[in-house]
Amino acid sequence: MRYLLIVLFLSGQLSGSAQKPDKWIKEKQVASILRTLSADEMQGRRPGTPAMDKAAAFIASEFKKAGLEPLKGNSDFLQRFDMISAETSSRSLIINGRKLDNNEFTVFAGEENIKWEAGAAEIKYIKAGENFGQKVFAEFQGSGNVLLIADTSFTRIFNRFRNFRSPRWGGNVIVALSQETVYRYQAEAISTIKKISYANVAGMIPGKSKTDEAVSFSAHYDHLGIGKPVENDSIFNGANDDASGTTAVIALASYFKKLGPQERTLVFVAFTAEESGGFGSTYFSRQMDPAKVVAMFNIEMIGTDSKWGKNSAYITGYDKTDFGKLLQADLTGSSFTFSPDPYPDQNLFYRSDNATLARLGVPAHTISTSKMDSEKFYHTVNDEFETLDMKNMTQIIRAIAISSKGIVSGKVAPTRVVGE
Ligand SMILES: [Zn+2]
């Protein structure tokens, strides 16, 4: 028997509550924000494009209008950061006196000229049976010099991987196939390094008493940009993915500002670069002290009805903390409920921007209605405003506002994610 199937039914009960979500979260407002973010003018919001800057400026203006403050240490709502990508034009690697063929190693440069003798880099090994992708990806987070020796049993995956180029934070990583223990080596590489600038859009409402305890409401505002035309349409508008979540974050920011300060500090953030690797949420997480983040409501694709129909949504990683149960507690007496993620085989808990903070122990969960096994327009040019249900989406946003009451008011705190 799956977890308790809990369905969210929204009735008029909400309008009576002191929290007034009906009054301050309006369908017209929701539709207008979502229409703007998913319009063709936004060109599918691909990071690094002028249209993406336009989307960031729009979200920042909505945060300003709502009355949010920039995050501490920021002069405005843009949380800027840079990453790098590199093109290597020449390279050579000698291990224990043997010169490797170019197809036996690959270079991820962070500097234009790499010239290593023994001692210049940390040597690490990927042994047979270990997780190649995880081991390599872990080295992309750093800033030092690493020579990563992979067992030759990884030849097939290495060949698929060696031309993979995605933005990185920095550092120089050379990955080589070899069975040998490295005693001495020499490496050289000449590359051009390109800096790529990104920006999350973030603002906050300081808390009254528990000011250093943060509750964050987040979504990602990037999408796939322009792609191969389908019936003359080449814009991936990303109305559901994830302009719907970004709209919810803006609507919740304006709602909580009208409601007045809560005991805890509320942080509202639209992440960049989720589609290309979750770089925005990674950067954001590195600026926060995870121990001070009490909970994260990550909102991803709430524009269509869930598999249970209207007025229902699910929470990923439901069994990892009591976050879901606490949200339900605030919906007691009403017919509002949430359900656990019905697609456990899709590993959704680790596939969106909540994952970065969850790995650091934060009860960070994604709220969604997306039918992952049959979402018709997912990652297509047809993910357009017109395909979404504004009435239902507005109800979901109101339900999130209500269900967060215990957490934002400082009365309760979800248990932490353990063992990640
Ligand atoms: Zn998404």
Side-chain angles (χ1 to χ4, degrees):
M1 167 74 186
R2 276 173 191 251
Y3 294 100
L4 264 183
L5 181 60
I6 307 156
V7 177
L8 171 80
F9 280 26
L10 278 163
S11 70
Q13 280 171 348
L14 257 181
S15 56
S17 76
Q19 292 168 267
K20 304 191 180 71
D22 281 31
K23 186 172 171 210
W24 286 329
I25 301 174
K26 290 284 185 201
E27 187 180 329
K28 203 159 152 264
Q29 165 213 23
V30 167
S32 143
I33 296 168
L34 185 51
R35 206 189 277 282
T36 305
L37 280 170
S38 62
D40 284 356
E41 288 72 43
M42 294 296 183
Q43 305 265 294
R45 306 183 309 276
R46 189 184 186 89
T49 64
M52 186 68 171
D53 298 341
K54 200 171 165 182
F58 170 70
I59 298 164
S61 71
E62 289 293 312
F63 280 177
K64 190 167 178 29
K65 208 164 62 180
L68 297 191
E69 294 174 25
L71 296 186
K72 273 208 192 92
N74 287 34
S75 56
D76 61 19
F77 294 110
L78 297 192
Q79 190 184 45
R80 298 172 182 81
F81 62 96
D82 294 327
M83 299 186 75
I84 57 161
S85 78
E87 278 310 317
T88 299
S89 49
S90 78
R91 55 198 163 96
S92 76
L93 179 62
I94 299 169
I95 291 179
N96 302 339
R98 184 177 75 85
K99 187 172 168 44
L100 276 70
D101 287 347
N102 269 4
N103 58 17
E104 289 180 284
F105 70 103
T106 187
V107 176
F108 297 91
E111 290 157 31
E112 295 193 341
N113 283 303
I114 290 175
K115 208 170 173 39
W116 292 351
E117 298 278 348
E122 207 183 336
I123 302 169
K124 295 186 179 181
Y125 296 87
I126 310 177
K127 300 197 183 72
E130 289 185 326
N131 183 322
F132 179 90
Q134 220 170 49
K135 285 261 179 176
V136 173
F137 190 69
E139 298 313 325
F140 285 175
Q141 310 305 309
S143 55
N145 296 338
V146 175
L147 175 57
L148 200 48
I149 305 296
D151 185 275
T152 53
S153 61
F154 293 111
T155 302
R156 225 161 45 80
I157 191 173
F158 174 81
N159 287 334
R160 279 212 314 272
F161 153 83
R162 68 193 166 92
N163 296 320
F164 166 75
R165 287 293 174 271
S166 114
R168 288 180 306 111
W169 299 99
N172 301 297
V173 181
I174 296 182
V175 185
L177 284 171
S178 173
Q179 293 302 96
E180 294 177 45
T181 302
V182 179
Y183 298 106
R184 52 198 168 84
Y185 61 89
Q186 278 171 294
E188 286 185 22
I190 295 173
S191 313
T192 44
I193 310 292
K194 207 175 72 181
K195 194 177 78 171
I196 311 167
S197 297
Y198 293 93
N200 295 326
V201 190
M204 68 173 188
I205 302 173
K208 280 194 290 193
S209 59
K210 301 180 177 205
T211 44
D212 65 342
E213 293 182 12
V215 179
S216 98
F217 297 88
S218 63
H220 71 90
Y221 75 103
D222 68 301
H223 196 52
L224 305 173
I226 309 280
K228 227 162 102 258
V230 177
E231 288 161 16
N232 295 325
D233 179 359
S234 58
I235 300 177
F236 285 74
N237 299 71
N240 195 26
D241 187 8
D242 188 25
S244 66
T246 306
T247 299
V249 169
I250 294 170
L252 289 164
S254 126
Y255 164 77
F256 278 112
K257 188 66 189 174
K258 289 187 183 113
L259 196 63
Q262 304 295 309
E263 300 310 322
R264 290 188 165 127
T265 292
L266 307 185
V267 175
F268 303 89
V269 54
F271 294 124
T272 184
E274 188 271 350
E275 303 286 3
S276 46
F279 303 134
S281 56
T282 302
Y283 182 78
F284 172 82
S285 318
R286 288 181 176 169
Q287 315 316 307
M288 307 283 277
D289 171 359
K292 297 263 169 66
V293 183
V294 174
M296 172 190 247
F297 294 70
N298 188 52
I299 308 161
E300 172 77 269
M301 297 193 279
I302 56 165
T304 58
D305 304 353
S306 82
K307 63 176 275 176
W308 306 286
K310 307 246 179 262
N311 301 332
S312 60
Y314 59 80
I315 295 172
T316 65
Y318 195 95
D319 56 340
K320 304 256 180 224
T321 76
D322 63 357
F323 174 89
K325 292 188 185 70
L326 291 177
L327 268 58
Q328 271 167 276
D330 275 315
L331 300 173
T332 306
S334 75
S335 51
F336 313 132
T337 50
F338 284 102
S339 55
D341 155 17
Y343 315 102
D345 51 346
Q346 301 239 1
N347 204 18
L348 295 178
F349 187 59
Y350 295 108
R351 278 180 50 193
S352 190
D353 288 315
N354 65 293
T356 314
L357 278 176
R359 287 205 175 88
L360 299 167
V362 174
H365 298 262
T366 289
I367 292 170
S368 181
T369 61
S370 180
K371 299 176 285 305
M372 293 311 289
D373 51 1
S374 62
E375 199 59 54
K376 205 163 151 210
F377 301 125
Y378 177 67
H379 282 197
T380 73
V381 294
N382 299 315
D383 177 3
E384 308 254 11
F385 175 84
E386 291 69 23
T387 66
L388 305 181
D389 180 337
M390 285 310 100
K391 186 169 184 310
N392 190 51
M393 189 176 136
T394 306
Q395 299 290 46
I396 303 288
I397 301 171
R398 289 172 179 160
I400 294 170
I402 292 288
S403 63
S404 70
K405 186 174 170 220
I407 296 172
V408 299
S409 66
K411 284 202 191 74
V412 295
T415 50
R416 312 294 286 179
V417 176
V418 286
E420 295 303 325

